Amino acid sequence: MQLKNTIKIWLFAATLLTACGGTSYNEQATDETAKAVSVTVLETSNSWDGTLLPHYPEGTPKVTLLKITIPPKAKLAVHQHPIINVGYMLKGELKVTGEDGEVLLLKTGEGIAEMVNKYHYGENPGDEPAEILVFYAGDTESILSVYKE
């Protein structure tokens, strides 16, 4: 059951990435001129800091897709994610800083596998709003973010 649910989640993610220019699991087309072009945006077993991603939680799967807009020069609260999530930068830049001081600069068109159970924060260093599409793969009991007090 767990493997079947995981496959369903990843098929959904593949469909989502295809819509954003990512890899498709079905590239067949009836007309050669209509064949889709696919680009792998992100494929990894590790978060951006190199840490191995955890196993998926047991239970009823739940996926969440958020489009987050971060105003220019804004800094998000320090937080962590207890479940796997990946993002696709739609517009602008996002500087992500981990609790150990490690920094990643994410630019338009790039993907990120977020840190899991590690505090971090993001900030928009630019003069325009930054937009990121974030996909969370958890279960019905999952919390997306936990904020540091």
Side-chain angles (χ1 to χ4, degrees), residues 82-124:
I83 59 173
I84 294 173
N85 68 94
V86 296
Y88 179 77
M89 202 69 199
L90 296 169
K91 178 177 154 186
E93 294 183 346
L94 184 63
K95 179 181 169 186
V96 184
T97 304
E99 61 188 338
D100 62 356
E102 197 169 358
V103 174
L104 172 73
L105 183 60
L106 190 63
K107 297 178 181 181
T108 300
E110 294 180 336
I112 181 176
E114 281 266 31
M115 297 173 160
V116 178
N117 293 320
K118 288 185 171 184
Y119 283 106
H120 61 280
Y121 65 91
E123 59 186 307
N124 177 356

Side-chain angles (χ1 to χ4, degrees), residues 22-94:
T23 300
S24 170
Y25 63 91
N26 181 2
E27 297 182 12
Q28 295 177 354
T30 56
D31 181 317
E32 193 60 33
T33 61
K35 189 170 183 177
V37 175
S38 66
V39 175
T40 301
V41 175
L42 178 68
E43 182 176 303
T44 185
S45 296
N46 300 314
S47 64
W48 68 265
D49 70 340
T51 305
L52 186 65
L53 293 170
H55 292 282
Y56 290 105
E58 295 292 328
T60 304
K62 181 176 88 172
V63 296
T64 305
L65 181 62
L66 302 178
K67 179 181 173 192
I68 302 169
T69 303
I70 304 152
K73 309 298 182 200
K75 179 179 171 182
L76 303 176
V78 176
H79 62 282
Q80 65 178 332
H81 307 287
I83 59 173
I84 294 173
N85 68 94
V86 296
Y88 179 77
M89 202 69 199
L90 296 169
K91 178 177 154 186
E93 294 183 346
L94 184 63

